[in-house]
Every structure is written in C-alpha cells, then in structure tokens.
C-alpha cells in the first residue's frame, strides 16, 4: 500500500468524521443538545461511545507498552474493566445517575454533584478539579496517537501532535456531545475491527496461541536484572507478591484504573444521554464485548511483542525501542511492533484504529473541559442557550491549548503514569461522595465537601512528596528538599490511591455523621 492510497483513505476517514461532526452541529440547537446530546441517544450508540471514550490510545499504546515491559499480568486490568467499568458502572451507577440527573434536570457531572447536595461550592470545586487535571490525561491520549503517527508516517512528533489535535478540536468545537457520540460510534467499530485483525495476525505470525505463549515463557531469562530485582518473574507471570512491581501493577494499574473508571466525569455524563434506565441495560453486552476486545488485545500483543523482537533483533521489546542510540521508551513498543512486524496494509488500518481511539477519548475530554469551564465554573454566565454554546466552545479552545502544550512538555514513557494520575485524583475526590450521593441518605453537604477537598489535597501532597515515580517527574520535592521523595519503601511505590481513597471515605462518613441536621421536636398543643 503506497502513501497515495493512504492519503485517499485518510481523506475519506476525515471526511466521514467531519460529516458526522456536521450532523452534530445541525442538531445542536440548545445547551441540552451540547451538554447531553438531547437526552435521547440510542443505547447501542451510548454503549459504543462509552467504550470508545473509556478506551483510548492511552490503553492501546501506553498500557500496551507497559504490558510489553511487565507482561500479561495486565490482563487482570481487562477483567476489572469489564466487571467494574461496565457491569458495576452501568447497573449500580449508570441507572441511578440517569434517574437522579433527569429528576434534577442537570446536564454535567459537576452540576449533578452540586444539585444533589444543593451546594454551589461542590459544583465549582469539582469543575475546577476536572478543568485542571483533565488536560494531563488528554495529553497522554494525544501522545499515544502522535507516537504512532510519528512511526507509521515518518513525520516529526511535533507535526503528529499538531495534526492530531486540530482534527479533534474542530469537530468537538462545533458538534458538541451529539457530534462526539456520532463519531465515537463510528470510531468504536473501526477500533474493534482493527484490534481483532491485529491479535489474529500476531498469533498467526508466532505459530499459534499455544506456541506463542510457550515462546514467551521460554525467554523469561531475558528479564533485565533491574526488573527482576523489583519482582519481575517473566512476561507470563504476575510479579512477586508484595514486590515493588507487584504494587505497581495491582495498586496503580489494576486498582487505580480499574476502579477509577467509576468516577470519570466524561463517562458518567454518557448515562445522562439516554432516554430511560432500560436503555442502559441494553448497552451492557455491547460495552462488555468492546472492552474485552480492545484492551485485552492491546495487553496480549504488548506482552507477545517481546517474542517477535527477540526472534528478529535479539532484544526484548523495551530494548528494541532504544535502537540507534535513543533512550528506551515504553510508549513506542506498540508503534514499533506494528510498523515492523505487521503487513503494510495493517500498519495503515491500525493508524485509523489509533485515530479512532484517540479522537473518541479526546473529544469526550475536551467536551468535559469546555462544559466545566463555561457552564459549571460560571453558572450565571450562560443566561441563554446561545451564550452558553459560545462559552462552551471557548472552553474547548482552552482545553485544546493546555493539552497540546502538555503533550510537548511531558517526558518519555509518561502515558500510563499520566492516565493513572488523573484516574487516581478523580477516584479519591469524587468516588466516595458520588457513591454516597446515589445510595447513602445520611450524607450531608458538609461531609461531601470535606471528603472532596481533603482527598484532593492529600492526593496532591502524596504525588508531589511521597510517590517516587510522580515526584521525580514533577520535581517539586527535589527542588524544595533536595531529595526525590520524603518517604521510604514501600510507600514510595504504593499508589497514592491506596492512601487517599480510605482517607476520603473516612472523612465523608465522619463529617456526615457529625453534621446531621437537628430534628425539630414536635410541638404539643
């Protein structure tokens, strides 16, 4: 397949994307259309949009690359994604969220929390947290797509980021959530097709399922000594129980991302887009199949890439990314494997798969950033639908600029770390009070506020001064105290969520019980 045909296919793909964005624009006449797509989306479209927004280039490129380093232990994350991210999210969170959101007539996640507790502060604080931290996750998604474009099209990283970002920005800016959901559904189908073909060709190339896994087990002696010392036991086994790598896989990847999905604002708002609770049940099977395929394939192929690189270069996957004297980069394992191991036609099909994965997630992220800034932080600013739409589109521009700048500034191999950071912050700050808002009548506004604020502050402090991986990236602890972290093992590698989620939950319960409204005694006449 030559580049001329690639450009024709790319033009066709972008043409359909623009057309669907235009349909969204044509049907976006009110704030309700822009925020929740009118509240009457088909359940299959909702499920596809949910899955496409949930699973991004961060999962395929970033976490797929992590699987190339740590192995198939990441498949436990896929299981957690299905059980928690789909079944629990849809049945126990989605239905109640849709019912309460429709009763309160709210359009965004911060507005949902604020209205549920009758607290403007909760609405604004949660919107601020989303606006300030979502660009970090969005940048991780953008980096994933750009890294593959860089390899597949042989263009500069700067050009790849610029093209990727501009395409997403245009159709979110005009189409609102209707445009996002229309394109998400199309992109989900492309993602599913691309990943199914990828796993079939990978196993075929390595001699079949049994042979491929046997080969992967046979090269466990190639695990670098530095990783083996931290608990790595080969690419077909879990890290040693209680080791540094075990804590990373369990607490940061499986717990942080697997449970963190429940408190993702860009996903919670999807439940508000359907017309009834029955529609959420109808989307369960579609969402489960989608999650089983996309991350499941990415993590499997990431681990198996070690076999391919060993057979063709004598190196494991991470070492192969350092060819030519460059620094090893976990984010380049999947792009390098696709471009070197797969046939030319799949290389371009996978390009559209990653386009779809990245654009579907980025569109949802930019949409949440825009509504948080224009609608939730400034609830009195949109006195008319026309003004609300204008402010929302300006918010999209803000999110686009910050995300793009971060994509250029973040260090190598940061995709999985940045994703886990955002999931961890949202889980700590929102999940306890979000859960209690749905199921615990005794929660009070004061309890929700203290839980949210305490969790946000504690999570930030642990990230900057305790957890070594992130503390080293931000460098605040080093600049102030001259050391990378103030803690000692094992706290330096146990994910911040393990500390902050219990703290947030405890504060919520204690503060709510201490601030229960005083019951007025009946007056006896």
């Amino acid at each position: 397949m030559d580049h001329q045909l690639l450009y024709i296919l790319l033009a066709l793909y972008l043409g359909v994307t623009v057309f669907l964005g235009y349909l969204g624009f044509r049907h976006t006449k009110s704030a309700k259309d822009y925020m929740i797509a009118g509240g009457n989306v088909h359940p299959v479209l909702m499920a596809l949009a949910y899955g496409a927004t949930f699973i991004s280039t961060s999962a395929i490129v970033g976490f797929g690359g992590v699987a190339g380093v740590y192995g198939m232990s990441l498949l436990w994350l896929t299981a957690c994604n299905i059980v928690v991210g789909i079944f629990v999210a849809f049945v126990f969170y989605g239905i109640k969220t849709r019912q309460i959101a429709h009763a309160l007539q709210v359009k965004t996640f911060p507005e949902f929390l604020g209205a549920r507790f009758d607290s403007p502060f909760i609405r604004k604080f949660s919107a601020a947290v989303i606006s300030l931290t979502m660009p970090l996750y969005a940048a991780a998604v953008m980096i994933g797509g750009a890294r593959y474009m860089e390899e597949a099209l042989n263009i500069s990283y700067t050009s790849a980021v610029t093209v990727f970002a501009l395409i997403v920005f245009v159709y979110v800016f005009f189409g609102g959530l209707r445009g996002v959901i229309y394109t998400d559904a199309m992109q989900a189908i492309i993602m599913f097709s691309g990943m199914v073909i990828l796993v079939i060709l990978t196993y075929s190339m390595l001699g079949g399922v049994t042979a491929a896994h046997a080969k992967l087990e046979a090269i466990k002696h190639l695990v670098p000594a530095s990783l083996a010392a931290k608990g790595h036991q080969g690419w077909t086994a879990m890290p040693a129980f209680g080791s540094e790598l075990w804590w990373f896989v369990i607490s940061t990847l499986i717990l942080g991302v697997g449970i963190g999905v429940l408190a993702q604002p860009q996903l919670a708002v999807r439940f508000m887009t359907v017309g009834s609770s029955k529609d959420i049940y109808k989307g369960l099977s579609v969402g489960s199949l989608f999650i089983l395929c996309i991350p499941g394939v990415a993590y499997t192929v990431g681990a198996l890439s070690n076999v391919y690189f060993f057979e063709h270069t004598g190196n494991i996957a991470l070492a192969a990314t350092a060819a030519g004297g460059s620094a090893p980069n976990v984010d380049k394992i999947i792009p390098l494997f696709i471009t070197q191991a797969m046939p030319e036609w799949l290389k371009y099909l996978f390009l559209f798969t990653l386009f779809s994965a990245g654009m579907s997630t980025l569109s949802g992220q930019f949409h949440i950033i825009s509504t948080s800034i224009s609608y939730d932080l400034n609830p009195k600013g949109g006195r008319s639908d026309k003004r609300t739409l204008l402010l929302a589109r300006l918010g999209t521009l803000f999110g686009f600029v910050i995300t793009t700048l971060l994509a250029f500034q973040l260090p190598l191999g940061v995709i999985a770390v940045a994703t886990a950071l955002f999931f961890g912050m949202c889980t700590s700050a929102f999940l306890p009070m979000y859960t209690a808002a749905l199921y615990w009548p005794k929660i009070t506004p004061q309890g929700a506020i203290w839980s949210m604020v305490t969790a946000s502050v504690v999570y930030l402090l642990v990230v900057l001064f305790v957890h070594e991986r992130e503390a080293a990236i931000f460098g605040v602890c080093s600049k102030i105290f001259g050391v990378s972290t103030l803690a000692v093992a094992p706290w330096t590698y146990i994910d911040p969520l393990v500390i902050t989620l219990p703290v947030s939950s405890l504060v919520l319960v204690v503060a709510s019980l201490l601030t229960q409204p005083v019951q007025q005694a009946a007056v006896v006449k």
Side-chain angles (χ1 to χ4, degrees):
M1 181 179 293
D2 57 27
H3 280 71
Q4 183 177 3
L5 182 55
L6 167 66
Y7 295 142
I8 293 174
L9 293 174
L10 183 60
L12 178 63
Y13 172 83
L14 295 180
V16 174
T17 300
V18 170
F19 174 72
L20 292 174
Y22 173 73
L23 287 182
F25 174 74
R26 285 285 305 272
H27 291 92
T28 299
K29 304 299 183 183
S30 67
K32 184 177 181 180
D33 289 332
Y34 194 92
M35 306 292 180
I36 58 172
N40 56 0
V41 171
H42 192 279
V44 172
L45 287 180
M46 184 278 293
L48 289 174
Y50 180 97
T53 303
F54 180 12
I55 303 301
S56 65
T57 55
S58 174
I60 298 173
V61 175
F63 283 77
V66 169
V69 177
Y70 301 115
M72 291 192 175
S73 57
L74 263 75
L75 288 175
W76 284 106
L77 175 56
T78 301
C80 192
N81 287 154
I82 295 173
V83 174
V84 178
I86 298 296
F87 181 76
V88 174
F90 277 48
V91 175
F92 295 99
Y93 284 80
I95 291 174
K96 294 280 287 187
T97 297
R98 197 212 71 84
Q99 290 172 347
I100 296 175
H102 278 241
L104 295 174
Q105 292 296 297
V106 296
K107 304 179 184 70
T108 67
F109 185 69
E111 187 183 21
F112 174 90
L113 295 176
R116 169 63 180 81
F117 298 110
D118 193 22
S119 171
F121 176 82
I122 289 178
R123 179 180 179 182
K124 291 184 178 181
F125 188 90
S126 58
V129 170
I130 293 168
S131 302
L132 294 174
T133 59
M134 180 74 84
L136 182 66
Y137 178 27
V141 175
M142 192 177 292
I143 291 170
R147 285 299 180 194
Y148 185 78
M149 289 181 65
E150 179 186 20
E151 288 288 332
L153 302 182
N154 195 27
I155 61 177
S156 70
Y157 176 69
T158 300
S159 299
V161 169
T162 303
V163 171
F164 204 78
L166 283 173
I167 294 171
V168 179
F169 171 75
V170 169
Y171 78 79
V172 179
F173 185 84
F174 291 106
L177 194 56
R178 280 193 181 274
V180 168
I181 286 180
Y182 293 163
T183 53
D184 279 358
M186 175 198 75
Q187 289 158 349
I189 295 171
I190 294 174
M191 290 165 64
F192 187 88
S193 303
M195 297 305 282
V196 168
I197 294 173
L198 173 62
V199 73
I200 291 174
L201 290 182
T202 298
Y203 276 121
S204 176
M205 178 180 60
L206 298 179
V209 175
T210 302
H213 286 256
K215 291 178 180 179
L216 188 61
E217 170 66 18
I219 63 171
K220 66 180 181 180
H221 64 281
L222 296 176
V223 171
S226 59
L227 291 177
K230 295 179 179 180
H232 202 308
Q233 300 186 114
W235 291 278
T236 60
M238 284 289 293
F241 179 78
S243 66
E244 179 176 342
L245 293 188
W246 184 89
W247 276 108
F248 175 67
V249 170
I250 295 297
S251 67
T252 298
L253 302 181
I254 298 177
L255 178 64
V257 178
I259 295 179
V261 64
L262 296 175
Q264 294 296 294
Q266 74 276 19
L267 298 180
V269 75
R270 293 295 186 270
F271 300 127
M272 304 178 192
T273 64
V274 294
S276 70
S277 297
K278 291 182 179 179
D279 288 339
I280 294 178
Y281 282 114
K282 292 176 182 177
L284 269 174
S285 57
V286 175
S288 298
L289 181 61
F290 185 84
I291 298 301
L292 175 64
C293 175
I294 309 302
V297 168
Y299 306 157
T300 301
V301 170
L304 291 173
S305 69
N306 286 283
V307 176
Y308 169 81
F309 286 117
F310 174 68
E311 290 181 345
H312 290 80
T313 69
N315 292 317
I316 60 173
L318 186 61
T321 65
S326 59
N329 186 354
V330 64
D331 295 339
K332 297 188 75 170
I333 290 177
I334 293 295
L336 196 65
F337 174 72
I338 300 298
T339 54
Q340 292 190 7
M342 293 292 116
E344 194 79 359
W345 62 268
L346 182 62
K347 180 172 73 173
Y348 295 126
L349 173 62
F350 198 74
L351 174 64
F352 296 115
T353 300
L354 286 187
F355 257 133
S356 300
M359 292 169 65
S360 59
T361 301
L362 280 169
S363 61
Q365 291 167 331
F366 285 163
H367 178 264
I368 289 294
I369 294 171
S370 72
T371 56
S372 295
I373 292 173
S374 63
Y375 184 70
D376 293 308
L377 285 175
N378 186 27
K380 295 183 179 180
R383 297 183 181 277
S384 66
D385 281 340
K386 184 177 181 180
R387 180 170 174 79
T388 299
L389 289 175
L390 174 61
L391 292 174
R393 285 164 177 156
L394 291 176
T396 302
L397 178 61
F398 169 84
F400 166 77
V401 171
I402 299 300
T403 297
T404 305
L405 291 176
L406 284 172
F408 287 124
Q409 295 299 319
L410 290 174
L412 297 177
V414 76
I415 293 177
V417 175
T419 301
L421 266 176
F422 178 75
F423 274 61
M425 173 61 88
C426 286
T427 304
S428 301
F430 302 143
L431 185 57
M433 73 169 181
Y434 178 33
T435 305
L438 301 178
Y439 289 104
W440 192 41
K442 289 188 176 182
I443 185 175
T444 63
Q446 296 90 337
I449 290 171
W450 276 104
S451 171
M452 177 177 62
V453 174
T454 302
S456 300
V457 172
V458 173
Y459 190 87
L460 183 62
L461 291 175
V462 174
V463 164
L464 295 179
F465 298 102
V466 176
H467 200 242
E468 190 169 17
R469 188 183 296 267
E470 287 82 16
I473 292 175
F474 292 106
V476 175
C477 187
S478 178
K479 291 179 181 178
I480 296 176
F481 299 105
V483 293
S484 60
T485 175
L486 299 179
V488 296
W491 299 107
T492 54
Y493 50 77
I494 294 177
D495 195 79
L497 184 65
V498 175
I499 301 171
T500 54
L501 185 57
V503 169
S504 179
S505 302
L506 180 62
V507 169
L508 181 141
V509 173
V510 172
S512 292
L513 293 178
L514 291 177
T515 56
Q516 289 294 303
V518 177
Q519 298 295 325
Q520 298 293 328
V523 177
V524 179
K525 294 185 179 180

